[in-house]
Amino acid sequence: MARYNKIFAGPVDQNKPQVQERICAASILPGTALIESGANFAQAGAAAATKVYIAQDNYLAQKGVDDAWLANDRIIGMEPLDEQFFNVRVPTATNVARGANLTTNAAGKFVVATTGQRVIMIAEEAYNNTSGADQLVRARKAQPGIVVP
């Protein structure tokens, strides 16, 4: 079970983030990274180098954060802004420190960035995922162009 019940985490005094709705050929869990693929979305790969969207929970169908969007569904991708918080999906056995630089793995999940990788998000909390399942970790968008030295 997820630690949080929403992907967009605020601030609550702002409107929801800007979103794009597109078809995605793969099954996608909320909180994972999406990239543009022509007129559609695709699951982001390792150290995604293009604009990244965060897959929103399917609240329109009253689904939770652990319910995947089905393949070939119209998925909602949120555009992260610097001042907004998101709960992003990290795989099991991932130890995240507050302030850690996060990038994507081959499954579009967020992992700690290593030397030479693009930083996409910055962790806003510490969490050691020993739960045996993917978990959501609070993060915010990194400044553009940051690469781990």
Side-chain angles (χ1 to χ4, degrees), residues 14-143:
Q14 292 186 2
N15 294 329
K16 299 266 186 190
Q18 294 296 312
V19 298
Q20 300 281 330
E21 292 184 17
R22 299 185 185 172
I23 302 294
C24 187
S27 177
I28 299 291
L29 281 166
T32 58
L34 302 168
I35 57 169
E36 296 174 334
S37 177
N40 298 323
F41 276 137
Q43 178 179 283
T50 63
K51 183 176 183 176
V52 171
Y53 298 83
I54 308 296
Q56 187 171 14
D57 47 294
N58 189 355
Y59 67 91
L60 298 171
Q62 298 180 353
K63 303 280 184 165
V65 294
D66 288 330
D67 297 319
W69 293 85
L70 301 177
N72 299 312
D73 263 0
R74 184 168 298 278
I75 293 178
I76 300 172
M78 298 180 288
E79 296 184 41
L81 299 175
D82 296 344
E83 66 276 2
Q84 295 175 333
F85 295 101
F86 295 86
N87 296 319
V88 297
R89 194 161 296 273
V90 298
T92 190
T94 301
N95 187 10
V96 177
R98 181 175 167 82
N101 297 321
L102 302 177
T103 191
T104 51
N105 68 8
K109 296 172 186 164
F110 289 86
V111 294
V112 177
T114 58
T115 303
Q117 290 183 320
R118 174 185 174 219
V119 178
I120 299 169
M121 303 290 281
I122 306 292
E124 286 293 319
E125 67 174 329
Y127 185 71
N128 186 7
N129 188 3
T130 58
S131 68
D134 296 345
Q135 291 295 331
L136 298 173
V137 170
R138 180 94 14 108
R140 69 173 9 164
K141 181 180 175 186
Q143 296 296 320

